[in-house]
Amino acid sequence: MNTLKLMDGLNRHIDYLRLSVTDRCDFRCVYCMAPEMKFLPKHQLLSSEEIIRVVRLFVEMGIKKVRLTGGEPLIRQGVVKLCRQIAVLPGLNELTMTTNGSHLALWANELAGGGVKRINISLDSLCQNTFKVMTRVGNLQSVLAGINAARQAGFASIKLNSVILKGINDHEVLSLVDFAVDHGIDISFIEEMPIGRVGRSRQEDYYSSDEVFQQIIQRYRLIETVEQTGGPAKYLRILDYPLTRIGLISPHSHNFCSSCNRVRVTADGRLLLCLGHENSLDLCNLLRDSSVTDSQIQDAIRVALWRKPEKHELYTYDEEFRPVRFMSAVGG
Ligand code: SAM
Ligand code: SF4
């Protein structure tokens, strides 16, 4: 077993892996996907066995937290079994998932029982019409049912994720905070990132975390904290409402790359070193080559990590230089 800490070339300690289990999704969120999408053929997706092997190799190298994401992870067949198998890997502290919530009413109990400790649920609007505009096809009621099921299921924590777009759902910031407070759960507001060509201008509807903050302090008294959950969010507590924390994820206005502790594996098995760059290591080829051993794959991962970019630069590149892959393929 490898015992060295997993470090990148800039001395950042990498202990968090996000893995996309599928690039497919039952929603078509306007900031994430184009109206017409082509998805990977099934044989290009990592199999369950390949996913478990790759996660085990990372955990052996010191990864402590794994988040399963997508696409929509809950539409991958067998995902609950996959969770159970990953959750028991020796050395892993925490298995988490990010979901759009549409199938959560069905699976919440099994996920919580299967070792998923914390769950993030995307919720951009509480108005059916706006929800439809944001997701193009989503049904708000099924997501609300999913949130309720998650609350009953006993996860250690539940967090809502809301991407705020100017002129589309920025008027809902306070209602979303009210909802989180009423349900005693956390909420993070995420600035839109220009990842993938989604067929609309990102500049026009950019809405900053600072604007979100200004809205929230009209109603709530916020207390700054230094709390971290292993991610880039800045957390605020709300006076009188101890069960809800507010996260502000500001890739645009407050670059957080210097403390980046994560890498991603795409649904087709590419180790992506940074959300904002294309450089990657093709793990799928290594996993499918029977002559390649576990320790050779781990060595290749260590070497690749030395190429992890210093920062994402998503907002300094021209559109034509930005990553063309979609967020759904990367695993947000
Ligand atoms: N389908 C699941 C969901 O929506 O929660 C998991 C995958 S989704 C790609 C993960 C997270 O990325 C979601 O919270 C979503 O809102 C966020 N996201 C997607 N595209 C984004 C973008 N262009 N900028 C910022 N966040 C984005
Ligand atoms: Fe699907 Fe999540 Fe992307 Fe929305 S953000 S299209 S739910 S993968």
Side-chain angles (χ1 to χ4, degrees):
M1 155 141 13
N2 249 310
T3 50
L4 291 174
K5 269 187 175 177
L6 201 50
M7 306 298 288
D8 75 0
L10 296 166
N11 224 21
R12 289 174 293 194
H13 179 199
I14 308 300
D15 61 1
Y16 181 11
L17 172 68
R18 287 189 171 210
L19 188 140
S20 171
V21 296
T22 176
D23 62 334
R24 288 166 194 261
C25 186
D26 51 341
F27 289 4
R28 295 286 183 275
C29 301
V30 291
Y31 46 77
C32 178
M33 289 193 179
E36 302 297 327
M37 293 287 294
K38 266 202 187 140
F39 296 107
L40 293 164
K42 204 170 168 208
H43 69 271
Q44 282 186 25
L45 296 183
L46 291 186
S47 67
S48 295
E49 292 71 28
E50 288 164 344
I51 290 177
I52 292 162
R53 182 174 175 210
V54 90
V55 175
R56 174 178 58 76
L57 295 179
F58 271 102
V59 172
E60 283 177 8
M61 287 191 289
I63 290 286
K64 296 289 176 206
K65 175 172 162 184
V66 171
R67 177 174 297 281
L68 298 186
T69 176
E72 174 44 40
L74 291 181
I75 66 169
R76 179 175 169 130
Q77 270 195 353
V79 74
V80 172
K81 184 172 170 204
L82 193 59
C83 290
R84 273 194 231 113
Q85 290 170 299
I86 292 174
V88 295
L89 288 172
L92 181 67
N93 285 353
E94 191 171 76
L95 174 63
T96 64
M97 180 179 279
T98 302
T99 170
N100 66 22
S102 64
H103 290 72
L104 199 51
L106 198 59
W107 296 115
N109 277 331
E110 294 207 45
L111 291 172
V116 176
K117 278 204 186 138
R118 299 191 293 123
I119 194 144
N120 289 359
I121 307 167
S122 297
L123 179 70
D124 299 327
S125 172
L126 289 161
C127 154
Q128 180 58 52
N129 285 344
T130 309
F131 191 83
K132 202 58 150 225
V133 170
M134 300 277 293
T135 61
R136 291 199 184 96
V137 291
N139 177 335
L140 175 62
Q141 293 314 316
S142 63
V143 175
L144 296 179
I147 293 170
N148 273 335
R151 290 176 64 224
Q152 310 297 322
F155 292 104
S157 85
I158 302 173
K159 180 163 73 80
L160 304 177
N161 277 341
S162 305
V163 176
I164 301 296
L165 302 182
K166 190 194 285 179
I168 301 182
N169 66 341
D170 57 322
H171 61 289
E172 287 201 60
V173 168
L174 281 174
S175 327
L176 287 162
V177 176
D178 292 347
F179 180 89
V181 165
D182 289 347
H183 291 78
I185 56 185
D186 293 337
I187 182 163
S188 280
F189 292 97
I190 309 175
E191 287 177 353
E192 182 188 17
M193 289 178 273
I195 293 179
R197 301 200 179 139
V198 293
R200 39 173 273 284
S201 155
R202 310 254 195 190
Q203 265 160 359
E204 277 166 25
D205 45 33
Y206 169 67
Y207 199 76
S208 72
S209 293
D210 293 341
E211 292 168 285
V212 168
F213 176 82
Q214 288 305 325
Q215 283 205 51
I216 300 173
I217 57 174
Q218 303 303 315
R219 184 169 302 165
Y220 292 99
R221 285 191 289 169
L222 300 182
I223 308 159
E224 292 217 19
T225 74
V226 288
E227 289 169 62
Q228 286 287 329
T229 61
K234 169 182 171 182
Y235 280 101
L236 301 153
R237 289 221 170 246
I238 314 179
L239 203 68
D240 301 328
Y241 299 103
L243 296 181
T244 298
R245 286 175 308 170
I246 296 186
L248 298 175
I249 303 181
S250 321
H252 192 167
S253 55
H254 302 280
N255 186 293
F256 42 67
C257 301
S258 62
S259 58
C260 184
N261 64 341
R262 65 193 54 193
V263 287
R264 293 176 161 82
V265 172
T266 62
D268 57 349
R270 276 188 308 134
L271 170 65
L272 206 59
L273 301 163
C274 172
L275 204 50
H277 291 261
E278 292 292 353
N279 56 357
S280 64
L281 169 70
D282 185 351
L283 287 172
C284 186
N285 266 346
L286 296 175
L287 291 163
R288 289 182 183 178
D289 181 341
S290 57
S291 70
V292 177
T293 64
D294 283 358
S295 57
Q296 284 172 327
I297 297 179
Q298 289 175 322
D299 286 346
I301 292 171
R302 281 188 197 287
V303 171
L305 272 177
W306 280 80
R307 291 189 280 116
K308 185 170 160 64
E310 182 187 352
K311 53 185 190 293
H312 61 62
E313 296 179 274
L314 278 168
Y315 300 94
T316 55
Y317 284 175
D318 275 337
E319 178 77 8
E320 66 176 296
F321 296 116
R322 284 196 193 126
V324 289
R325 56 185 149 65
F326 292 93
M327 190 72 160
S328 52
V330 175

